[in-house]
Amino acid sequence: MAIYSLFLLLFCTNLSVAKRYEPTWESLESRPLPSWFDEAKLGIFIHWGVFSVPSYSAVWFWNYWENGHKDINNFMKRNYRPGYTYADFAADFKTEFYDPKRWAAILQASGAKYVVLVSKHHEGFTNWPSNYSWNWNSYDTGPHRDLVGELATAVRETTDLRFGLYHSLFEWFNPLFLKDKENNFTTQDFVKMKSMPELYELVNRYKPEVIWSDGSGQAPDSYWMSKEFIAWLYNDSPVKDTVVVNDRWGRGDICRHGGYLTCNDRYNPKALQNRKFENPMTIDKNHWGFRREANIEDFYTSRELISTFAQTVSCGGNMLMNVGPTSYGTFQPIYEERLLQFGKWMKINEEAIYSSKPWTTQKDNATNAWYTMKKTTSGTNVYAILLDWPDKNYLYLNAPVASSSTSITMLGYSGYFSYSIVQPSGINITLPVISFSKIPSTDAWVFKLTDLKN
Ligand SMILES: *[C@@H]1O[C@H](CO)[C@@H](O)[C@H](O)[C@H]1NC(C)=O
Ligand SMILES: *[C@@H]1O[C@H](CO)[C@@H](O)[C@H](O)[C@H]1NC(C)=O
Ligand SMILES: *[C@@H]1O[C@H](CO)[C@@H](O)[C@H](O)[C@H]1NC(C)=O
Ligand SMILES: *[C@@H]1O[C@H](CO)[C@@H](O)[C@H](O)[C@H]1NC(C)=O
């Protein structure tokens, strides 16, 4: 009888009780990362807020201004009446051309599989009607719209992207935060009255499948209560089975603890990583928000973006590519063009990207080519993403070891390439004359190698 009960107990425990996570990194990090995230490879980051109104210098505009940054002081003196405050900008955050369905269509066309919208940056302005913000939010002032909710709906109704949210734990000038800081974070008024209620509200209301936390570095995660939040997220939240989180949850956690790692902005390690990472980077080379003073040379070309992407994916990462929309609610054509160029390339080469895995070699040491691979029912395919077209009519790849049945094709191009096996290692692919109208891309080319020995 006793043995029978014990068996029954074990049996039931196994079948019906899902694992519950404890608010410790050890427990939280035992949760497997939901597979959709690794398969997705590309996300689009959107930095939008009151900083989009001055749309000058940086999304840190307010902070720089308070700290006496010369350019920003001059900009304010030249263009605004004396006594103008940062809060005054909010009234001009009008988003009058904001068409979430159009945004969703552009996001879909970029080839991205998820989007991460800034819900609140360090300025503290919430892009949704938060119950925890009386007037510093997009509903009571400025747009008078639920910017977050409208995009969530459009993305879910019209695309196959997952919807995610960025959220800054700290706020530069929130008096409650400054008070806690003054108390050496022995009090938690700000966390309990602002950050945490906001996060629970965001998850319950909008069900984001990425929580991209930021702004945690001044205080330990015990102050932020982030492990408790993540345990709730994984155990009981409406997105518990699919949500992923990053690594910015408290001082010292970045690059060490959380769901996947972001380490530093523009993290592109160019070497295989043993943990899932994401490279959060920007189309404007140095900035996250829309800047009216930007020139064409301030933006990466599609070729540069695709190169960074190939390196990132080859090493096991995702890329989160940032756009900064205008305060009136549009993507400037330069951003739109980059997203569309990216999507055009993805459409041709997606076989080498989505759901791919790193290969044994990341970068070929003879050629500027980066590898991915994919196991299929008919064998393993290796993809060499070539970033520079050779000057000669052959392409030497050092890493692949061909078998007698290896075939070589280029994605988006019909026909097989002939090659010779090189000793001691590699293959030498003969490049035929390819007419301009037949070349699949002018940015990067993917060679598909089947049945390699390695
Ligand atoms: C937020 O406030 C509204 C009314 O203003 C209320 O109906 C709703 O229940 C509140 N939500 C939460 C999560 O407190
Ligand atoms: C602040 O708190 C930390 C522990 O969280 C402690 O190590 C440090 O000495 C404290 N600093 C001051 C100035 O009280
Ligand atoms: C390139 O890699 C191969 C193995 O894939 C190795 O045998 C060779 O020594 C490497 N060459 C250089 C220059 O690193
Ligand atoms: C590849 O083939 C070309 C043309 O046949 C030849 O000139 C070149 O030396 C070869 N490269 C290697 C590494 O074998």
Side-chain angles (χ1 to χ4, degrees):
M1 182 66 186
I3 287 174
Y4 173 77
S5 306
L6 185 65
F7 270 108
L8 195 67
L9 184 70
L10 287 175
F11 187 70
C12 293
T13 309
N14 247 342
L15 275 191
S16 59
V17 183
K19 171 167 182 174
R20 289 196 59 89
Y21 296 96
E22 302 297 321
T24 63
W25 287 128
E26 195 189 2
S27 173
L28 297 172
E29 289 174 334
S30 71
R31 175 183 183 255
L33 196 67
S35 59
W36 74 263
F37 186 73
D38 179 50
E39 291 160 9
K41 308 302 181 191
L42 181 67
I44 303 297
F45 214 170
I46 303 178
H47 271 66
W48 204 26
V50 172
F51 51 78
S52 311
V53 176
S55 49
Y56 172 71
S57 182
V59 298
W60 278 61
F61 185 99
W62 189 11
N63 185 283
Y64 292 169
W65 185 15
E66 292 287 332
N67 286 299
H69 196 290
K70 204 165 113 262
D71 289 347
I72 293 192
N73 279 340
N74 289 340
F75 171 84
M76 290 309 298
K77 274 203 197 103
R78 276 199 311 271
N79 300 298
Y80 292 88
R81 63 171 161 75
Y84 201 90
T85 69
Y86 190 77
D88 293 330
F89 283 124
D92 285 329
F93 188 27
K94 294 212 174 96
T95 71
E96 61 269 48
F97 299 124
Y98 177 40
D99 176 356
K101 285 214 170 93
R102 176 159 172 80
W103 281 30
I106 299 170
L107 297 171
Q108 179 81 76
S110 76
K113 294 294 181 195
Y114 60 105
V115 55
V116 178
L117 172 68
V118 165
S119 65
K120 181 196 81 172
H121 204 258
H122 311 326
E123 64 188 13
F125 186 89
T126 66
N127 282 334
W128 80 99
S130 175
N131 281 21
Y132 309 98
S133 168
W134 291 283
N135 54 5
W136 195 229
N137 68 74
S138 68
Y139 206 76
D140 295 325
T141 183
H144 298 290
R145 292 170 72 170
D146 179 359
L147 305 179
V148 170
E150 288 187 39
L151 189 64
T153 302
V155 163
R156 294 204 169 103
E157 283 179 357
T158 65
T159 77
D160 67 354
L161 278 79
R162 309 254 178 176
F163 183 74
L165 290 172
Y166 165 107
H167 175 267
S168 174
L169 285 169
F170 94 128
E171 296 171 19
W172 293 312
F173 307 116
N174 190 305
L176 290 174
F177 177 72
L178 296 177
K179 190 80 189 151
D180 285 348
K181 186 174 170 178
E182 203 179 294
N183 295 336
N184 197 14
F185 299 115
T186 55
T187 54
Q188 288 176 297
D189 292 345
F190 174 71
V191 184
K192 290 182 178 164
M193 291 165 75
K194 193 70 168 49
S195 284
M196 276 302 140
E198 277 174 355
L199 273 174
Y200 285 90
E201 179 181 61
L202 281 171
V203 173
N204 284 322
R205 208 181 282 174
Y206 305 111
K207 303 175 179 53
E209 293 176 279
V210 182
I211 306 285
W212 214 100
S213 180
D214 197 20
S216 67
Q218 295 186 34
D221 51 40
S222 54
Y223 167 77
W224 294 115
M225 306 197 292
S226 22
K227 288 179 298 215
E228 289 72 14
F229 169 71
I230 298 170
W232 171 78
L233 200 60
Y234 290 176
N235 289 328
D236 300 309
S237 80
V239 284
K240 65 189 173 63
D241 297 324
T242 55
V243 71
V244 298
V245 304
N246 68 349
D247 57 349
R248 302 186 181 191
W249 294 103
R251 187 170 59 221
D253 290 341
I254 192 167
C255 221
R256 289 177 56 212
H257 288 307
Y260 65 84
L261 306 183
T262 64
C263 298
N264 42 272
D265 294 350
R266 304 180 179 83
Y267 182 60
N268 182 11
K270 299 189 188 173
L272 190 60
Q273 302 297 298
N274 55 23
R275 209 163 142 179
K276 184 67 193 178
F277 74 96
E278 179 188 61
N279 175 359
M281 48 75 75
T282 50
I283 294 178
D284 175 330
K285 290 177 188 167
N286 296 301
H287 291 278
W288 299 88
F290 170 57
R291 296 184 306 128
R292 289 176 293 151
E293 81 279 22
N295 298 312
I296 191 68
E297 65 269 19
D298 294 330
F299 296 91
Y300 285 119
T301 62
S302 57
R303 182 162 178 221
E304 290 167 325
L305 295 170
I306 290 165
S307 293
T308 302
F309 182 60
Q311 293 163 359
T312 304
V313 172
S314 174
C315 298
N318 283 10
M319 189 164 96
L320 186 61
M321 185 163 69
N322 180 72
V323 299
T326 64
S327 64
Y328 34 93
T330 61
F331 294 159
Q332 284 282 285
I334 187 72
Y335 280 115
E336 194 174 343
E337 183 183 48
R338 290 296 176 271
L339 295 183
L340 297 180
Q341 287 167 326
F342 213 101
K344 202 173 152 195
W345 188 87
M346 287 286 258
K347 217 173 184 71
I348 294 163
N349 299 295
E350 61 179 27
E351 181 184 331
I353 302 297
Y354 301 130
S355 303
S356 68
K357 299 280 178 206
W359 191 42
T360 46
T361 298
Q362 279 63 60
K363 185 190 177 297
D364 193 89
N365 64 16
T367 305
N368 192 11
W370 295 76
Y371 293 100
T372 64
M373 70 148 198
K374 203 180 267 180
K375 288 200 164 81
T376 72
T377 46
S378 53
T380 298
N381 300 325
V382 171
Y383 302 89
I385 309 172
L386 179 67
L387 303 183
D388 294 310
W389 190 262
D391 292 332
K392 306 262 169 40
N393 68 337
Y394 60 88
L395 170 66
Y396 171 60
L397 296 173
N398 172 283
V401 180
S403 74
S404 56
S405 56
T406 292
S407 71
I408 301 181
T409 52
M410 191 200 290
L411 300 185
Y413 179 79
S414 65
Y416 289 89
F417 289 72
S418 63
Y419 64 91
S420 57
I421 294 173
V422 178
Q423 297 302 343
S425 89
I427 51 174
N428 199 0
I429 305 171
T430 304
L431 300 174
V433 174
I434 302 177
S435 77
F436 197 75
S437 64
K438 293 271 162 50
I439 192 93
S441 170
T442 52
D443 289 327
W445 307 266
V446 177
F447 288 84
K448 175 179 177 179
L449 319 171
T450 67
D451 296 317
L452 293 175
K453 284 189 189 156
N454 60 338

